[in-house]
């Protein structure tokens, strides 16, 4: 019994160190997941190889840091989403499991190592995301550019998808990243406007929406992508309004997935949205004109990103052929 209590205490200390800003929040019970959200435990030789490569190259992945439920499937196929600019975020979103605090200085050799990892893994499509770096004058824009350039140099045929922070109050940062010309520019709205204060308090819904619109204005050839989580207390009508807002901003690709509560200190799950409801959302979104929609309980921003990019490009080509 004493050992069990000690282990629980150590786990609580680890959570507190990872999310110090959440420790005064009351605990929220973690609901039992329905059958349609069950995933296989990570295992297998390829999974182990991917884990070893990430560790040996000193890289960070959002797969691990955010506790993605699809890590077993993706890493077993040598797919990983690299998280640049460290493992510590300056924001404190109530849904996110990434560590919060003061980040370490920027690792300027990271771009080279990611380029080498892309080659070693033989990636046709790579996703690069980052923590929020409000401490940096450019929000990390230069580092995004450096990483994109390193991948282009090391593996010219690899297509690149970036999932960026909002660059709030970082003049010129967005333009610098857009001009680096990734193939897909992704920035997630995460939830409906009404829930921003409790779910994403450091961000601004209309700033994020406008950011994506500005990407299209600066470079219409870049695909834009954004996603939301459901199961946080939003209504169907609010989700459809977000879809309309995204289409007004020219967003090409919409992802919708189920929110899963990382710890008792995070925002609670309001409900588990059924697979039937996800299919309905996908039908509605396609009717609204998105080139690509991924809406399932386990959908995440970079889940099946390579295959989805091929479909996205084909959808644009088909649309242009009709014009």
């Amino acid at each position: 019994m004493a050992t069990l209590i000690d282990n629980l205490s150590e786990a609580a200390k680890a959570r507190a160190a990872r999310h110090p800003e959440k420790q005064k929040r009351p605990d929220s019970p973690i609901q039992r997941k329905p059958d349609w959200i069950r995933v296989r435990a990570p295992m297998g030789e390829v999974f182990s190889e991917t884990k070893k490569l990430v560790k040996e190259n000193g890289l960070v992945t959002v797969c691990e840091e955010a506790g993605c439920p699809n890590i077993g499937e993706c890493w077993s196929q040598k797919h990983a989403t690299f998280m640049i600019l460290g493992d510590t975020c300056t924001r404190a979103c109530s849904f996110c499991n990434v560590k919060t605090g003061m980040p370490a200085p920027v690792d300027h050799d990271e771009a080279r190592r990611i380029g080498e990892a892309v080659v070693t893994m033989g990636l046709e499509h790579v996703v690069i995301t980052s923590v929020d770096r409000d401490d940096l004058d450019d929000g990390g824009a230069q580092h995004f550019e450096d990483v994109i350039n390193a991948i282009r140099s090391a593996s010219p045929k690899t297509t690149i998808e970036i999932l960026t922070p909002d660059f709030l109050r970082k003049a010129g940062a967005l333009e610098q990243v857009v001009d680096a010309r990734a193939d897909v520019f992704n920035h997630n709205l995460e939830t409906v406007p009404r829930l921003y204060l409790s779910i994403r308090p450091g961000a601004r819904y209309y700033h994020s929406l406008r950011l994506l619109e500005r990407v299209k204005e600066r470079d219409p050839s870049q695909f834009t992508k954004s996603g939301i989580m459901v199961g946080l207390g939003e209504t169907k009508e609010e989700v459809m309004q977000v879809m309309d807002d995204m289409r007004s901003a020219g967003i090409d690709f919409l992802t919708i997935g189920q929110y899963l509560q990382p710890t008792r200190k995070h925002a609670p799950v309001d409900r588990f949205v059924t697979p039937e409801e996800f299919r309905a959302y996908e039908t509605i979104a396609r009717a609204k004109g998105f080139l690509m929609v991924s809406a399932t309980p386990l959908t995440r921003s970079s889940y099946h990103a390579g295959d989805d990019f091929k479909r996205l490009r084909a959808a644009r080509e088909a649309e242009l052929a009709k014009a």
Side-chain angles (χ1 to χ4, degrees), residues 36-39 69-70 257-258 260 278 296-300 303:
W36 63 79
I37 293 183
R38 304 295 167 82
V39 295
N70 303 315
Q258 171 71 51
L260 299 176
F278 277 102
T296 72
L298 289 173
T299 289
R300 298 296 182 267
Y303 189 45

Side-chain angles (χ1 to χ4, degrees), residues 197-257:
L197 189 60
S198 61
I199 301 302
R200 201 180 176 219
R204 304 292 181 269
Y205 176 81
Y206 289 104
H207 169 82
S208 287
L209 191 66
R210 176 60 181 148
L211 178 144
L212 288 155
E213 186 175 43
R214 286 164 59 202
V215 174
K216 276 295 188 187
E217 290 173 351
R218 191 169 184 87
D219 184 0
S221 69
Q222 282 189 43
F223 290 106
T224 50
K225 179 177 177 180
S226 189
I228 61 169
M229 302 168 289
V230 291
L232 282 162
E234 71 293 325
T235 66
K236 180 180 178 181
E237 290 73 22
E238 287 175 316
V239 172
M240 290 193 291
Q241 182 60 59
V242 170
M243 291 182 190
D244 287 339
D245 292 344
M246 286 185 180
R247 289 303 303 131
S248 295
I251 293 169
D252 300 302
F253 188 169
L254 167 65
T255 62
I256 307 176

Side-chain angles (χ1 to χ4, degrees), residues 279-300:
R279 285 193 287 271
Y281 278 140
E282 179 177 354
T283 299
I284 292 168
R286 290 190 181 279
K288 289 180 181 292
F290 289 96
L291 286 178
M292 184 72 194
V293 183
S294 178
T296 72
L298 289 173
T299 289
R300 298 296 182 267

